[in-house]
Amino acid sequence: MKKTEIFDKNLACMKARLYEPLVKSLKKIKNTKKFEPFFDLYEPLNLNITELKTREKMYARPLEELKEKIEDINKKKAKFPTLFFYGIGNALLYKALLQNKEHKRVVVFEKELELIFIALCLVDFSQDLYNVRFCLIHSPNHNSAVADFLFNTGRLALLYRSYDLELNCSFYERYKKDILNVNSINKQQMISNSMKNGNDPKDALIGIDHFIRHLPKMLTHASLEELLQKRRGKVETAIIVATGPSLDKQLKLLKKYANKASIFCLDASYPVLAKHNIKPDYVLSLERVAATSEFFDNDFKDFDKNVLFIALALTHPKTIEHFERKKVDYILTPKTLALATDMDIREYHSLSGMSVAHMAFILAAQLKHKNIILIGQDLAFGKDDKGHSKSYSRGEKKSQEETNRLAKHIVKAYGGIGTVKTTEVWYLFKTIFESFFERAKLHHNIYNATEGGARIEHSIEKPFKECCEELLTKEIKKPLTKVRPYKREHQNKLLLDAYKKIKSYQRRGENLARDCRRISKQMSAFIHPEKNKAKLSISLVYENLDKIKRKLGTKKYAFLAEALGPSLFHYESSLAPLYLQNVLSEEDKQNKMVAWIYAHEAWVDEVHNLTLLQNGVFKAAIVPLRELLEKRKLI
């Protein structure tokens, strides 16, 4: 089959970056050699496809199978916002399913490029391809970055338990190995998304407490915006130094070339570089736990001069104590989390990342380094089963204890030959890097010069020596440009605005807690009628519960997402099967409403309790900010 006008129209609408490799491959096809469509002149929907070599037809009864499939999906999955299929087939199934507006996205994986070509020649998906409502994935291109896009979008992130990869037809049973690979990538991404959301609201509340307490320090020191304005685009190459087992072999070269690149040092790498007298330009830290502060419990004297320490504002208070004792230059900046985002202190815009290495990469990219080189980024155990460099400041024994507690997994090794052992957390870090790199490689050359550990896709694997010799040819003027705090008048405005916002959050939290108590009483009266005189209708309780859920979804209550997120993510995802349950009669509707109310009794209590806990955190943590405002006679 040769390309048609419909094909050109479809291809022109595949603008999303997701489609770039697929579009490139499709453009090379002049006509099909492996598959050919078989048309029924009397019934266009009776469309079959023949495999030319075997003469085998894809469908036994194309039209009847299409009708049966649509009927089955409408019966079982009419409310599903996203449907997943393996196999494009004749594509008519997806054209029909996209008529249902409940389906916000239809995702199709297909291994055979020619079948994708035929489908796009025959069926006009242009509008849905443009909106990425019809999401067509060539399975050889499927990876963690693509899966992250698919499973990290809106409601689907909560409905991942409904994931079901359905075959287009029995013809695709022969692709079992590819189907297992697609499923494996998708399910690992769902696990990763779940881990990203955390499982303990106490951790979130600790971070909120630290962030609020540290606002006076953050707003009276230089901002990230100031740093970017002063240093963006000034240095061509950045080297990010992690503490994997392979770091030791790179230290000699790093020392030799340190003045020819920006050196980004992770908190755990900082004592290692100090020991070898390799001065970094940036030392970064993001953890809220006391153990991370230990990396700064030292006195390296002149070594710290002209080094800029950058920590997330939710860092442990001892980290800041060490910074101030050592009299180093430091910046605090928010993490990309709900509360800090809602506060919108623009000059102190946030950094993100599940690990400090992600944070370092994002900052290096924001500073517009053309080349970004990673060393010591093993994300795997070394041959001696060690998880960190020999120079790891907390000691080999401590390193071994920390990593031995974690479950082991097998992944592809650096260089693509053989495998290495990693952990669930390191695997998550690896997939996040891959997602970052896939997007960033349009603007940056990303080199993994670790020469060990796990392969990180979308980076250029190259020996560190070659990277240095080819990229680091000019001395850089160091120290880099100084960054300074804002003038006192602007500081005062930022401090006062932050104080007013936190007070408004407290009032909103009190209002929400009151609403939760009211609906909780109504639900209890409905669920336990024998204990209550008042009789409440299903629809009234259901509607009031829905009001609470809609209220939480508004921007006004976005500041709560951080504390509520871990619990509610797992609550909501566990409710997915009930939410997606199809309603075929009035009786079904009543039963579903009753089940929905029962399932939310603990949910409402959790929202109420965590909202009050966060308000308690606000009340205590705002004290340093209030005291500074009083000292400056601003309140």
Side-chain angles (χ1 to χ4, degrees), residues 453-628:
R455 164 166 276 188
I456 307 175
E457 302 292 345
H458 305 296
S459 62
I460 302 163
E461 292 179 334
K462 197 167 194 172
F464 188 41
K465 188 173 188 294
E466 288 182 25
C467 288
C468 292
E469 290 173 350
E470 292 175 19
L471 304 173
L472 307 181
T473 57
K474 295 178 183 176
E475 290 275 339
I476 294 165
K477 187 180 178 183
K478 293 192 179 185
L480 301 174
T481 311
K482 281 273 188 186
V483 290
R484 304 191 184 283
Y486 291 112
K487 291 180 179 178
R488 191 181 179 92
E489 186 181 352
H490 191 56
Q491 289 179 22
N492 289 346
K493 182 184 183 304
L494 295 174
L495 290 163
L496 195 56
D497 286 348
Y499 182 78
K500 288 176 180 176
K501 280 185 180 176
I502 296 163
K503 298 300 283 185
S504 76
Y505 293 152
Q506 287 179 273
R507 290 191 293 272
R508 285 179 233 170
E510 287 166 5
N511 291 337
L512 181 67
R514 190 163 52 248
D515 289 345
C516 286
R517 282 194 296 273
R518 185 170 63 250
I519 186 61
S520 181
K521 286 178 182 177
Q522 291 179 358
M523 292 170 75
S524 180
F526 177 79
I527 293 168
H528 309 287
E530 71 284 357
K531 297 179 183 178
N532 296 275
K533 293 180 182 179
K535 290 187 178 179
L536 299 170
S537 70
I538 297 174
S539 57
L540 176 67
V541 179
Y542 183 86
E543 186 180 323
N544 288 339
L545 171 61
D546 192 50
K547 282 180 183 176
I548 290 280
K549 291 178 75 76
R550 279 189 275 116
K551 182 178 279 190
L552 274 176
T554 63
K555 190 178 185 304
K556 188 177 179 181
Y557 289 90
F559 73 96
L560 283 165
E562 196 171 329
L564 299 184
S567 291
L568 295 196
F569 179 86
H570 297 289
Y571 264 117
E572 295 282 357
S573 58
S574 67
L575 289 167
L578 177 59
Y579 172 80
L580 296 169
Q581 198 175 86
N582 210 9
V583 172
L584 300 174
S585 66
E586 186 59 33
E587 184 182 0
D588 285 348
K589 181 181 177 182
Q590 293 291 309
N591 289 339
K592 184 174 178 178
M593 287 169 71
V594 171
W596 192 247
I597 293 167
Y598 272 78
H600 277 80
E601 188 175 22
W603 182 95
V604 169
D605 287 343
E606 187 82 349
V607 172
H608 173 266
N609 294 338
L610 287 173
T611 300
L612 288 182
L613 280 171
Q614 178 157 315
N615 259 14
V617 167
F618 285 153
K619 186 177 179 180
I622 201 173
V623 171
L625 179 56
R626 186 180 67 233
E627 288 176 346
L628 179 59

Side-chain angles (χ1 to χ4, degrees), residues 1-9 117 120-122:
M1 181 175 188
K2 294 183 178 180
K3 71 176 181 177
T4 63
E5 287 183 12
I6 293 175
F7 175 82
D8 290 333
K9 186 179 179 183
F117 177 85
L120 296 180
C121 281
L122 298 177

Side-chain angles (χ1 to χ4, degrees), residues 18-19 73 77 80-88 91-109 125 128-129 131-137 149-150 156 165-166 168:
L18 174 79
Y19 290 133
I73 290 165
K77 300 181 179 180
F80 280 41
T82 304
L83 298 173
F84 295 89
F85 292 90
Y86 186 91
I88 187 71
L92 296 176
L93 171 64
Y94 311 119
K95 189 67 178 176
L97 293 175
L98 287 164
Q99 306 310 307
N100 181 352
K101 299 303 178 186
E102 292 285 344
H103 304 319
K104 306 301 180 189
R105 178 172 288 163
V106 175
V107 181
V108 179
F109 299 92
F125 289 109
D128 291 314
L129 283 167
N131 295 326
V132 202
R133 186 170 172 237
F134 182 52
C135 205
L136 194 50
I137 311 294
F149 168 81
L150 296 176
L156 185 59
L165 186 62
E166 189 164 341
N168 178 284

Side-chain angles (χ1 to χ4, degrees), residues 377-396:
Q377 195 60 66
D378 294 68
L379 296 175
F381 294 93
K383 291 179 181 177
D384 55 1
D385 227 28
K386 297 289 193 300
H388 293 88
S389 155
K390 290 176 183 175
S391 303
Y392 184 61
S393 65
R394 297 173 73 188
E396 287 188 41

Side-chain angles (χ1 to χ4, degrees), residues 2 18 34 59 114 116 151 183 266 295 298 320 326 342 361 371 376 406 438 468 507:
K2 294 183 178 180
L18 174 79
K34 188 175 180 181
Y59 304 97
E114 280 197 11
I116 297 174
F151 290 94
N183 256 328
L266 313 190
F295 296 124
N298 43 53
I320 299 175
K326 287 152 62 77
D342 196 75
F361 176 79
N371 309 305
L406 304 170
E438 197 271 337
C468 292
R507 290 191 293 272

